[in-house]
Amino acid sequence: MLQKIILLWWFFSLGFGVESRELKFPKGFKLGVATASYQIEGGWNADGKGTSVWDTLTHDHPELIADHQTGDIACDSYHLWKEDIANLKNLKVDHYRFSLSWPRILPDGFSNVINPEGVKYYNNLIDGLIANKIEPMVTLFHWDLPQNLQNLGGWTNPIIADYFADFARVAYKIFGDRVKYWITINEPASICLGVYEYDDGAPAFVKSPGIGSYLCGKTILLAHAKSFRLYDTEFRAAQKGKVGITIDSIWGEPKTNQSQDIEAAEREMQFGLGWWAHPIFAPQGDYPKIMKTIIAQNSKSENFTKSRLPLLTPDEVKLIQGTFDFFGLNHYHTGLISNKKFPVDTSPSYIKDKGTEVSANPDWKPSPKIVPWGFRKLLNWVKKEYNNPLVIVTENGYGDEGGVDDKDRVLFLKVFMEALLLAVLDDGCNVSGYTVWSIMDNMEWRSGYTVKFGLYDVNFTDPRRGRSPKISAQFYQNVVKTRTLPEK
Ligand SMILES: *[C@@H]1O[C@H](CO)[C@@H](O)[C@H](O)[C@H]1NC(C)=O
Ligand SMILES: *[C@@H]1O[C@H](CO)[C@@H](O)[C@H](O)[C@H]1NC(C)=O
Ligand SMILES: *[C@@H]1O[C@H](CO)[C@@H](O)[C@H](O)[C@H]1NC(C)=O
Ligand SMILES: *[C@@H]1O[C@H](CO)[C@@H](O)[C@H](O)[C@H]1NC(C)=O
């Protein structure tokens, strides 16, 4: 009998409950939008700004950018920031996540020379946001490394962690009276793998698979930790802000129910997300054990004298562990993961180390690019793996070819926010914010202007870079206003 009742309850909750259920954001939940300096600002050499690796790449190697374009002007937000604020105000978002251009503030990358015009630009933007009751959420590093520091080896040189901390100190000191949410580094995996493993970032032509990628990774972890500790010792008491890091992750769904694919999917998560999150968020700190074990084994069979993974000393493990007030999470895709065996040879790589293959499932509904249940599973994985840390979703969004009639983006945002709310309300995931990438179309790195993520269209052939709201802007504005997802 009890079984029958449970079955009946299950049937009703599945068949009817979910469909007619109104999903409301909890009180205090923050809804926002995001951008990054290189992708929107332009003004690449305006008023004393130094050169970044993205300036160098797009100028020297236009053939590496899908449409051979640069971010020299991009959305021209360096000049049009008042329009950006007007659009943010129109959406009535709670927060705006943007990044500081390191070389705009410190032209040579070093903190001995501060560019007053760069400081003024961000002061104007921050003051404008606050005047309109929009919380600034500031990313210190979103990929536009000063070229001068790249010339020293960029993130493969551990000294960059100290120069990053110097930059963080300048930013906390100047802006920290008004900025209460800091993200140290955006998407470490995209930086280290993009540059050193896959050669699809900036700079180009410095590939070093399975070696440079891990050197870069260690420097990034130390840079994050040092800038967090610095906030603790020098600023927290007076400024009372929060500091976190933003990590990107796919959800890795096992391709089959065979144990080797289930284990492969777990490895995919540990190598992809755990590489960054385990040292910071797991109570024991350090890289995930499986990474240390496999990379050491592979290094040995490749005849290296020691592991290609630069180990963390006990002091470094301690320095890094616990350096968070929140977990910034970027998510876009779900992948099918299967186990892959690589030949035993002397060539190292990250892909060989993780021993997986990632594919898409063409049958996924509503489409292989829109997999909301993967987002829910990812949020639950973070909850389980790291003791339910406070998560702020710092990016989520949909790329298309552009145009204001963006029904697919509306569908994407709706079903992903639904999945997020089910994770919060039904699964107890500790998520306090959601941020759409992006408020407007912008310079999508090596893809140039061929992929659009904006709620606002930007006319890139118009010297005035006119912005127009898409259908999705209207949709998101309504969600922010009602704090409720519309029914089907
Ligand atoms: C694996 O097993 C689960 C539970 O039986 C099932 O729901 C799922 O569809 C299976 N997945 C695959 C890929 O066969
Ligand atoms: C590593 O060195 C040993 C001893 O010289 C050799 O037998 C083995 O083939 C080497 N491994 C690879 C993957 O080349
Ligand atoms: C969510 O995280 C915050 C900050 O760490 C913590 O105070 C709160 O107890 C957490 N909530 C849950 C349900 O774990
Ligand atoms: C973009 O701007 C150009 C130049 O001002 C104009 O000719 C064109 O019609 C605009 N495109 C759209 C779609 O509005």
Side-chain angles (χ1 to χ4, degrees):
M1 185 60 185
L2 186 64
Q3 244 172 351
K4 248 189 202 159
I5 291 172
I6 290 173
L7 211 70
L8 217 69
W9 167 82
W10 181 77
F11 175 78
F12 276 101
S13 64
L14 218 74
F16 304 99
V18 172
E19 238 170 291
S20 59
R21 180 170 170 197
E22 186 191 62
L23 288 173
K24 219 172 164 51
F25 285 92
K27 210 168 164 339
F29 193 96
K30 291 192 189 330
L31 293 164
V33 288
T35 60
S37 48
Y38 183 72
Q39 295 181 271
I40 65 160
E41 284 179 5
W44 79 275
N45 61 355
D47 305 331
K49 176 182 168 290
T51 307
S52 82
V53 291
W54 277 94
D55 297 320
T56 306
L57 175 78
T58 56
H59 294 168
D60 293 357
H61 293 286
E63 78 281 2
L64 297 180
I65 310 299
D67 54 4
H68 300 188
Q69 299 292 309
T70 72
D72 288 2
I73 303 175
C75 305
D76 203 18
S77 287
Y78 185 66
H79 300 105
L80 301 178
W81 56 273
K82 283 184 187 160
E83 280 186 45
D84 294 346
I85 291 179
N87 292 337
L88 290 159
K89 194 176 162 186
N90 180 43
L91 292 174
K92 290 212 165 52
V93 285
D94 300 307
H95 66 278
Y96 177 44
R97 174 180 176 227
F98 62 95
S99 77
L100 305 179
S101 160
W102 185 344
R104 193 181 294 291
I105 296 175
L106 307 179
D108 296 326
F110 306 116
S111 63
N112 62 325
V113 177
I114 298 175
N115 174 25
E117 290 301 308
V119 169
K120 188 170 131 198
Y121 171 66
Y122 294 112
N123 271 333
N124 284 337
L125 178 60
I126 291 165
D127 290 345
L129 291 170
I130 289 173
N132 287 289
K133 299 195 168 59
I134 300 160
E135 174 102 55
M137 182 181 284
V138 175
T139 311
L140 290 169
F141 183 73
H142 201 128
W143 308 358
D144 38 3
L145 189 71
Q147 181 60 43
N148 216 27
L149 298 182
Q150 186 59 46
N151 298 346
L152 299 176
W155 292 108
T156 56
N157 184 345
I159 196 69
I160 302 303
D162 294 313
Y163 289 125
F164 177 77
D166 286 347
F167 168 51
R169 182 187 283 107
V170 169
Y172 298 150
K173 195 178 269 173
I174 299 177
F175 308 119
D177 57 333
R178 290 152 292 157
V179 173
K180 302 301 166 191
Y181 283 88
W182 295 100
I183 292 161
T184 55
I185 290 169
N186 179 70
E187 298 192 359
S190 300
I191 299 165
C192 297
L193 297 175
V195 174
Y196 297 104
E197 201 74 25
Y198 307 132
D199 194 9
D200 61 9
F205 311 122
V206 293
K207 248 178 142 163
S208 169
I211 298 174
S213 311
Y214 297 133
L215 290 175
C216 168
K218 178 169 174 178
T219 310
I220 295 248
L221 285 167
L222 290 172
H224 161 77
K226 288 181 179 193
S227 55
F228 182 94
R229 300 287 180 202
L230 170 63
Y231 191 80
D232 267 359
T233 53
E234 297 179 29
F235 299 96
R236 187 179 292 278
Q239 297 186 351
K240 301 184 172 63
K242 295 186 191 311
V243 183
I245 186 171
T246 279
I247 302 172
D248 59 305
S249 186
I250 64 163
W251 169 249
E253 179 74 6
K255 186 168 183 176
T256 72
N257 273 332
Q258 290 173 1
S259 63
Q260 67 259 40
D261 285 345
I262 292 172
E263 284 161 23
E266 177 65 15
R267 273 203 315 281
E268 180 72 34
M269 296 305 294
Q270 293 294 354
F271 272 76
L273 177 58
W275 182 4
W276 317 102
H278 198 276
I280 299 171
F281 296 93
Q284 66 274 41
D286 206 349
Y287 301 117
K289 194 151 168 259
I290 194 162
M291 268 187 95
K292 290 172 70 173
T293 308
I294 292 179
I295 299 169
Q297 276 168 2
N298 286 358
S299 303
K300 195 166 176 204
S301 66
E302 292 153 0
N303 285 338
F304 284 91
T305 55
K306 61 176 186 177
S307 179
R308 293 179 274 100
L309 181 68
L311 299 181
L312 301 170
T313 66
D315 281 348
E316 287 169 340
V317 169
K318 253 173 76 183
L319 178 79
I320 298 167
Q321 200 284 325
T323 51
F324 68 93
D325 296 311
F326 61 89
F327 187 129
L329 180 66
N330 289 358
H331 173 72
Y332 292 87
H333 306 293
T334 284
L336 277 182
I337 313 298
S338 51
N339 183 45
K340 185 168 177 184
K341 275 216 163 60
F342 286 77
V344 179
D345 58 21
T346 51
S347 64
S349 82
Y350 166 80
I351 309 254
K352 180 177 163 187
D353 291 337
K354 72 183 163 95
T356 64
E357 186 164 76
V358 184
S359 57
N361 185 339
D363 300 330
W364 275 334
K365 299 278 177 282
S367 89
K369 268 180 82 181
I370 307 181
V371 189
W373 52 262
F375 187 28
R376 184 173 177 182
K377 287 191 177 187
L378 172 64
L379 290 167
N380 275 278
W381 194 87
V382 168
K383 174 189 172 203
K384 167 185 71 90
E385 198 73 11
Y386 308 114
N387 284 329
N388 208 11
L390 185 72
V391 170
I392 299 175
V393 176
T394 42
E395 284 181 33
N396 179 234
Y398 184 80
D400 64 14
E401 290 174 355
V404 295
D405 187 17
D406 59 340
K407 292 196 183 67
D408 287 347
R409 178 168 295 101
V410 170
L411 173 66
F412 179 99
L413 295 175
K414 180 172 185 291
V415 295
F416 272 73
M417 283 189 278
E418 275 168 5
L420 178 144
L421 281 178
L422 292 175
V424 171
L425 301 172
D426 291 3
D427 309 339
C429 294
N430 199 357
V431 188
S432 72
Y434 175 80
T435 316
V436 174
W437 183 272
S438 170
I439 183 171
M440 61 188 153
D441 296 342
N442 56 51
M443 204 290 178
E444 183 57 23
W445 312 110
R446 292 259 189 129
S447 302
Y449 300 90
T450 63
V451 184
K452 310 285 173 62
F453 282 88
L455 300 177
Y456 281 74
D457 172 88
V458 177
N459 184 346
F460 291 103
T461 56
D462 177 359
R464 294 188 344 274
R465 294 296 190 274
R467 289 110 156 98
S468 324
K470 303 181 187 179
I471 307 278
S472 59
Q474 227 169 4
F475 167 79
Y476 196 52
Q477 182 191 46
N478 194 49
V479 173
V480 174
K481 187 169 149 203
T482 60
R483 302 279 150 177
T484 306
L485 291 175
E487 288 179 33
K488 292 195 181 28

